[in-house]
Amino acid sequence: MRLAVIGTGYVGLVSGVCFSELGNQVICVDNVQEKVNLLNNGEVPIHEPGLRELIAKNTQAGRLSFTTDLYEAVNNSEIIIIAVGTPSLPNGKANLSYIELAAEEIGHAVHDYKVIVVKSTVPVGTNERVAELISKHASASFDFASVPEFLREGTAVRDTMNPDRIIIGTLSDKAADMLTELHRPLTDQITITDVRSSEMIKYASNAFLATKISFINEIANICEKVGADVEEVAKGMGMDKRIGSSFLKAGIGYGGSCFPKDTQALIQIAGQMDYDFKLLKSVVEVNRDQRFNVIRKLEDLLGDINGKTIGIWGLAFKPETDDVRDAPAFEIIEALIERGAHVKAYDPIASDNFNKSFHGKEILYCDSAEEAALNADALCILTEWKEFIDIPLSDIQLWLKTPNLIDGRNIYSEEDLENTPFAYYSVGRPKMNNGVREGKPILTF
Ligand code: NAD
């Protein structure tokens, strides 16, 4: 099939590349010339494992190309996939200006039948609005469909090639058939539904996963108070098939380009229809609070952190990505700087992106984990990069001025801490001091 993918970000680029890998003819479009130039020179503007190799293979095979010329790309394709960004507006609503602009541009290029797919995450009703905008300019008929994306950054290629399910929201049998044929090589789990339900499935899925994370984080906070271990609790809960073990990892809260914005957008979508989504509002509040536990624990260890040097490991919102959008590191580092701390930070690949968005000169960006930890009064682990997991505690002990460790991702176990001098705080587990668990709190009944 001949496809045009509009927007070559994390979703558009990965989808386009994977569809070309399946043998389709794919033109990826972006309106940022610099991005397209990079791609045409064999470089990849984002970090995703396996992506570079697939781009090289499929461009060489002549199945994949990159352009800024949306008109030509749409004109030459049967299926048009819109994957532009839908970031949050200051009021939490989804910003639909990119998608509306793309829709108008696509409309001008529709001179024969097309299937137009919205892959971007959009509020209920947006597909209908997009179809309206396209039809203002189109000179031929088209059908439209909502096919939301569920990939995760860091494993985007693997997720795209092995999806749990494909949701196709459309009223058109022809579009449903064409899109089923396109996705069939990926999975048999294809559900055809109506457009509004499809749009809602995406928000509901992300809101549910965010709820699971905030839930386990609150359980973790209670575990700390009652002397239980959240890792054990999550394991026991996850063995129940009705619950499942995924998204039960306690930490410093979710971040990234999806959960924060999609939870806010769903609260807005509900609110516009006079529905107060109380549960989701709490999920968001719990998530925001969870980040500040790092500061509370640091203050517990160091007292006043004014003038103290704090090492930070990890700026990306999760490992294997250079995406820092809504990463917990922003608020944590901001709070540290506000309190007068000197911050030294290291991330294997996300420092440049973080620096661009943070606009803060106060951080010292380091070239290695060692440099960030060296002579610091405490070290905070904010992203569970494998590089950090592989570093023995004995090295960290040598590097730090005082052995204070805040492990926001629970990368170390109690056994790892045995026979070490660390004052160690993790999430939802007892504090450790000099290799010994802090005594259990006295419980009241
Ligand atoms: P992104 O910001 O990384 O990429 C969007 C791209 O679209 C940019 O390269 C931008 O230059 C381009 N663009 C914008 N307007 C354009 C236009 N008119 N013509 C051509 N190109 C245009 O965004 P993303 O992370 O890939 O997300 C895209 C959508 O997918 C969002 O709605 C997001 O919520 C959703 N989504 C994202 C993820 C994720 O993990 N990133 C997962 C599932 C769904």
Side-chain angles (χ1 to χ4, degrees), residues 150-216:
F150 299 98
L151 64 77
R152 294 161 299 174
E153 286 177 21
T155 51
V157 171
R158 196 175 72 206
D159 291 350
T160 304
M161 296 306 263
N162 306 282
D164 285 343
R165 80 303 207 185
I166 297 293
I167 306 291
I168 300 173
T170 183
L171 292 176
S172 152
D173 290 343
K174 189 170 175 185
D177 288 348
M178 284 173 70
L179 292 171
T180 301
E181 192 189 328
L182 177 67
H183 291 93
R184 181 68 76 205
L186 298 174
T187 179
D188 288 338
Q189 299 296 314
I190 298 177
T191 292
I192 313 288
T193 182
D194 65 280
V195 180
R196 291 189 184 190
S197 300
S198 171
E199 291 169 325
M200 193 62 167
I201 285 168
K202 174 64 192 175
Y203 279 112
S205 302
N206 273 2
F208 186 76
L209 294 173
T211 303
K212 262 186 118 174
I213 295 172
S214 279
F215 183 86
I216 199 66

Side-chain angles (χ1 to χ4, degrees), residues 5-13 29-32 35 46 48 67-68 70 82-87 97-99 101-103 105 119-122 148-153 156 202 206 257-258 261-262 317 323 325:
V5 181
I6 317 300
T8 56
Y10 289 87
V11 167
L13 182 58
V29 183
D30 206 283
N31 57 3
V32 176
K35 233 179 216 191
I46 56 170
E48 270 305 328
T67 182
T68 51
L70 182 144
I82 305 176
V84 300
T86 49
S97 62
Y98 301 100
I99 205 159
L101 180 68
E105 288 181 67
K119 198 169 249 314
S120 303
T121 304
V122 290
E149 180 56 60
F150 299 98
L151 64 77
R152 294 161 299 174
E153 286 177 21
K202 174 64 192 175
N206 273 2
S257 66
C258 291
K261 93 172 163 61
D262 293 348
F317 80 97
D323 196 347
R325 289 178 282 187

Side-chain angles (χ1 to χ4, degrees), residues 47-343:
H47 175 85
E48 270 305 328
L51 188 59
R52 179 178 293 275
E53 297 77 3
L54 284 187
I55 291 178
K57 177 180 166 197
N58 287 289
T59 41
Q60 268 163 31
R63 287 190 293 264
L64 179 65
S65 59
F66 304 98
T67 182
T68 51
D69 192 342
L70 182 144
Y71 184 93
E72 272 304 300
V74 172
N75 201 19
N76 289 318
S77 302
E78 302 156 88
I79 297 177
I80 320 302
I81 298 174
I82 305 176
V84 300
T86 49
S88 282
L89 288 167
N91 63 5
K93 283 187 183 176
N95 178 351
L96 298 179
S97 62
Y98 301 100
I99 205 159
E100 287 176 351
L101 180 68
E104 299 251 6
E105 288 181 67
I106 290 166
H108 288 288
V110 174
H111 304 304
D112 55 5
Y113 176 79
K114 313 274 183 211
V115 170
I116 297 170
V117 172
V118 173
K119 198 169 249 314
S120 303
T121 304
V122 290
V124 179
T126 306
N127 271 262
E128 291 159 54
R129 164 104 184 109
V130 165
E132 218 176 272
L133 290 171
I134 294 171
S135 61
K136 274 202 322 200
H137 307 290
S139 61
S141 70
F142 65 91
D143 285 314
F144 66 99
S146 153
V147 182
E149 180 56 60
F150 299 98
L151 64 77
R152 294 161 299 174
E153 286 177 21
T155 51
V157 171
R158 196 175 72 206
D159 291 350
T160 304
M161 296 306 263
N162 306 282
D164 285 343
R165 80 303 207 185
I166 297 293
I167 306 291
I168 300 173
T170 183
L171 292 176
S172 152
D173 290 343
K174 189 170 175 185
D177 288 348
M178 284 173 70
L179 292 171
T180 301
E181 192 189 328
L182 177 67
H183 291 93
R184 181 68 76 205
L186 298 174
T187 179
D188 288 338
Q189 299 296 314
I190 298 177
T191 292
I192 313 288
T193 182
D194 65 280
V195 180
R196 291 189 184 190
S197 300
S198 171
E199 291 169 325
M200 193 62 167
I201 285 168
K202 174 64 192 175
Y203 279 112
S205 302
N206 273 2
F208 186 76
L209 294 173
T211 303
K212 262 186 118 174
I213 295 172
S214 279
F215 183 86
I216 199 66
N217 281 337
E218 288 223 279
I219 294 291
N221 297 342
I222 302 167
C223 282
E224 287 177 15
K225 291 198 178 297
V226 300
D229 180 337
V230 74
E231 300 284 329
E232 294 298 308
V233 175
K235 195 164 119 198
M237 286 171 67
M239 288 165 81
D240 186 329
K241 288 196 191 72
R242 295 168 303 174
I243 297 173
S245 59
S246 60
F247 286 80
L248 287 183
K249 183 99 184 89
I252 53 173
Y254 58 77
S257 66
C258 291
F259 287 179
K261 93 172 163 61
D262 293 348
T263 45
Q264 290 291 357
L266 187 50
I267 289 168
Q268 293 297 325
I269 291 165
Q272 272 173 293
M273 303 312 283
D274 289 329
Y275 188 86
D276 185 14
F277 200 156
K278 295 190 199 105
L279 176 61
L280 198 54
K281 283 180 176 170
S282 298
V283 166
V284 170
E285 197 185 321
V286 168
N287 191 60
R288 197 174 301 122
D289 249 26
Q290 192 68 12
R291 300 173 177 193
F292 294 105
N293 282 345
V294 171
I295 306 292
R296 286 188 272 273
K297 287 171 181 172
L298 265 179
E299 285 175 335
D300 187 57
L301 289 180
L302 300 174
D304 188 359
I305 53 180
N306 184 20
K308 299 274 169 33
T309 300
I310 310 296
I312 298 285
W313 280 3
L315 298 169
F317 80 97
K318 65 183 213 175
E320 292 301 338
T321 183
D322 57 353
D323 196 347
V324 297
R325 289 178 282 187
D326 260 311
F330 281 107
E331 276 162 310
I332 293 169
I333 293 177
E334 237 162 49
L336 287 173
I337 291 170
E338 253 172 47
R339 285 163 175 75
H342 305 296
V343 176

